[in-house]
Amino acid sequence: MAQVPQTFFDALAVRTWCGLALGALGRAREEIDAINVYPVADGDTGTNLYLTLESAATAVEAVFAGYGTGAQEPSLADAVHAMAHGALIGARGNSGTILAQLLRGMAQVLAEAETGDGSRTDGAGLRLALRQAADSAREAVAHPVEGTVLTVASAAADAAEGAEGDCGTVAWAAYEGARAALAATPGQLAVLERAGVVDAGGRGLVAVLGALVEACTGEAVREAPKEPEAVPVSVAVAPARVEAVSEADLCAEGAEDGGPAYEVIYLLEAGDEAVARLRERLDTLGDSLVVVGGDGLWNVHVHVDDAGAAVEAGVEAGRPYRIRITHFGLGDVHTGGERPPRERAQRAVVAVVPGEGLAGLYTEAGATAVLARPGEPPASGELVQAVRRAHAREVVLLPNDAELRHTAAAAAEQARTEGIRVALIPTRSAVQGIAALAVHEPERRFDEDVVQMTSAAGATRYAEVVVAERQSWTTAGICQAGDVLGLIDGDVAVIGPDVTATAETLLDRMLQAGGELVTLVVGDEAPESVADRLEARVRESYLAVDTVVYRGGRQGALLLIGVE
């Protein structure tokens, strides 16, 4: 369907842009992955950009959904703040982290550059936004290198500054400037020239800017880069912040130690001064350091040999969470060497889990765990990536949340198009997933294994104890903010003032229907004594019923209960 041209840039244009950009990155993902040789030849730049943009687009859709179908729509500030926040919390890899900062830079200007009735901006505002995006992304990188996405972003901003007109005119100029700069990247970075490719991150940014053109003009663009000779590019460079990279430098880095062994990424809650100290500390530990964000929330990315030290530095600075540590694996990936292919396993389990404690439990049981923080459910692209990471011919997918059913179904369908046999078991709680995992036997026929796991999950009743955030009508009556709620199979069954007493009442109701095993998953914010009290109650009141207790960490719910 053709897009309606946008003379001005408003919340709807942001929504349209995010959707088009996601589609463009989806089409180009495999191509971008294939040309990914810098800073690490790990073949995931296209995927990381896609997942980052998917998180941004999801956040924007959530803002629009919050306004419902009424006449009122979100403001431009609402939309761009959601876009930036979504990209920040969903950023993946070096390229995704930089893209998140580019979007944040744009949001900083667009939120303040509203004109007229305060719901939109014009071409001048878009020019300023593109400039801020390029500058803030460069500042976020510890040692900027030319011939990368930073160069392409700067060229886009330079070209936009020379354009006079509406948003469509500015977007076209930025796109054309980016295409020309992308074509010139092999001449700026020796590793690209040796491989005969353009910069992968820059290629992704060109796709995103092409979507911006379509959002503003209604016209689709060509996605291929220009020839290097077609348009001479003059890129503004801040010499004090730029580190020149030669072929000799790159070869020396790979020859001496193959580069850092780990990629470490985490979200961090910390103040500006603490983050400044963190930058200095991480810069001494490794390379490819990018720290983006602000206002107390940051996304940290670095390549290091000592992953533990990088995480500890985050702990010293504030509260790190959603920590991801990736081993680059065998082969000289930092200099483009090929890694020997790893043989696929026959079968694997991929599960969404709500806390670090359960993530460790599932991992120990052999599953690939996808951590879902409270209020931050994984997107379908993240689940697809986890299925790929499991590297198996057959995959059992456990969403462990009723609200993730459609997301998991979309991920399963995508994985099937890639030749992976995927069975989705509609688990609605992590305790149902534990029950399914307990009977998992990879040696069984796939269909038999899925039937047994599905049966075990279905035979497990689940409950949770949470604290009400506001006054609300429930199936058990009216609750007030601060009340303790006990939910069975997703419905509120108990309202009380005390966590332990509410949990005891909840457990009694569940065991009235019988049961042989009680599973308790205790969150960090639950009272220390709650597990002991519940274990004692089961031991004293219910003969032949066993209890097992796990520590769930920061899982959202104070307590998860399973009875099977």
Side-chain angles (χ1 to χ4, degrees):
M1 180 185 295
Q3 301 297 323
V4 178
Q6 297 278 335
T7 304
F8 291 92
F9 202 71
D10 57 10
L12 182 59
V14 174
R15 184 188 198 183
T16 302
W17 177 33
C18 287
L20 291 170
L22 188 62
L25 288 174
R27 292 189 297 273
R29 180 183 62 79
E30 291 185 0
E31 172 203 334
I32 297 172
D33 282 346
I35 64 174
N36 173 201
V37 299
Y38 182 85
V40 179
D42 49 357
D44 64 358
T45 289
T47 299
N48 288 337
L49 289 170
Y50 178 86
L51 291 174
T52 302
L53 209 289
E54 183 182 43
S55 183
T58 299
V60 173
E61 288 300 324
V63 167
F64 272 84
Y67 279 79
T69 58
Q72 188 177 7
E73 291 186 348
S75 68
L76 175 59
D78 290 336
V80 295
H81 282 319
M83 174 185 71
H85 181 73
L88 178 66
I89 65 174
R92 301 290 190 277
N94 185 75
S95 55
T97 307
I98 292 174
L99 175 61
Q101 189 67 2
L102 287 166
L103 296 180
R104 177 180 173 82
M106 291 191 70
Q108 288 173 326
V109 172
L110 292 175
E112 301 296 331
E114 296 176 333
T115 61
D117 61 1
S119 64
R120 61 189 186 179
T121 192
D122 55 14
L126 188 58
R127 282 198 301 272
L128 292 173
L130 290 166
R131 178 80 274 160
Q132 176 65 15
D135 291 348
S136 63
R138 188 173 288 272
E139 290 169 2
V141 177
H143 301 286
V145 173
E146 297 309 317
T148 66
V149 63
L150 298 177
T151 304
V152 176
S154 293
D158 290 345
E161 286 179 340
E164 295 293 337
D166 61 15
C167 290
T169 302
V170 172
W172 264 112
Y175 173 69
E176 291 294 332
R179 289 179 64 225
L182 176 64
T185 55
Q188 296 173 293
L189 201 53
V191 67
L192 301 179
E193 186 174 29
R194 289 198 302 273
V197 297
V198 295
D199 179 68
R203 170 67 181 88
L205 180 57
V206 167
V208 172
L209 290 173
L212 179 62
V213 171
E214 187 172 354
C216 291
T217 67
E219 299 178 25
V221 300
R222 293 177 299 155
E223 295 186 354
K226 284 186 174 181
E227 293 299 320
E229 298 81 11
V231 179
V233 182
S234 175
V235 179
V237 175
R241 294 200 301 268
V242 176
E243 176 180 273
V245 175
S246 67
E247 181 172 350
D249 292 334
L250 289 168
C251 291
E253 175 184 312
E256 289 176 6
D257 60 7
Y262 298 95
E263 177 184 60
V264 178
I265 306 174
Y266 50 80
L267 292 177
L268 177 69
E269 293 177 356
D272 291 355
E273 292 183 3
V275 170
R277 292 192 296 271
L278 175 66
R279 288 178 192 267
E280 295 178 1
R281 172 64 177 143
L282 292 179
D283 198 24
T284 66
L285 293 177
D287 59 30
S288 297
L289 173 60
V290 186
V291 181
V292 304
D295 301 321
L297 181 62
W298 309 82
N299 192 306
V300 179
H301 170 280
V302 67
H303 294 172
V304 293
D305 281 319
D306 189 344
V311 175
E312 288 172 6
V315 172
E316 293 173 2
R319 186 177 80 87
Y321 61 101
R322 291 186 71 169
I323 301 168
R324 297 181 181 86
I325 300 175
T326 303
H327 193 293
F328 287 125
L330 301 174
D332 189 6
V333 296
H334 278 71
T335 55
E338 293 185 2
R339 289 171 287 180
R342 177 164 60 96
E343 185 178 354
R344 283 187 179 273
Q346 180 60 34
R347 191 174 307 157
V349 176
V350 174
V352 180
V353 292
E356 296 91 343
L358 280 178
L361 174 67
Y362 273 75
T363 301
E364 288 174 8
T368 297
V370 179
L371 185 60
R373 299 295 307 170
E376 299 172 9
S380 62
E382 188 171 354
L383 297 185
V384 172
Q385 190 179 44
V387 170
R388 295 186 187 121
R389 193 166 66 246
H391 203 63
R393 298 180 183 89
E394 301 167 340
V395 172
V396 180
L397 182 58
L398 307 175
N400 291 340
D401 186 336
E403 294 185 1
L404 286 178
R405 181 165 53 98
H406 296 299
T407 300
E413 189 61 33
Q414 173 60 38
R416 291 181 188 118
T417 66
E418 299 176 11
I420 304 171
R421 189 179 184 187
V422 181
L424 171 61
I425 297 179
T427 48
R428 294 171 288 175
S429 170
V431 291
Q432 289 189 322
I434 292 173
L437 199 55
V439 300
H440 168 55
E441 291 186 13
E443 295 77 17
R444 269 195 302 238
R445 287 180 52 246
F446 185 62
D447 291 341
E448 292 178 0
D449 197 29
V450 171
V451 168
Q452 291 299 319
M453 294 176 72
T454 303
S455 177
T460 302
R461 283 160 288 146
Y462 66 96
E464 61 181 333
V465 177
V466 299
V467 176
E469 296 181 354
R470 57 186 174 274
Q471 184 186 59
S472 179
W473 287 89
T474 77
T475 51
I478 300 175
C479 70
Q480 305 296 328
D483 282 349
V484 179
L485 308 180
L487 292 83
I488 298 178
D489 293 341
D491 293 324
V492 177
V494 181
I495 301 175
D498 178 75
V499 173
T500 302
T502 301
E504 287 179 332
T505 302
L506 192 67
L507 184 56
D508 284 341
R509 291 197 182 184
M510 296 183 75
L511 287 173
Q512 284 174 1
E516 298 176 356
L517 176 65
V518 172
T519 300
L520 304 175
V521 183
V522 185
D524 279 352
E525 297 181 2
E528 289 289 334
S529 61
V530 66
D532 292 338
R533 288 278 297 275
L534 293 177
E535 280 189 286
R537 189 172 190 84
V538 171
R539 187 169 54 250
E540 295 166 1
S541 304
Y542 302 95
L543 298 178
V545 177
D546 295 324
T547 305
V548 60
V549 179
Y550 301 110
R551 298 291 168 181
R554 295 187 295 270
Q555 63 182 23
L558 299 175
L559 179 70
L560 300 177
I561 303 174
V563 174
E564 52 186 296

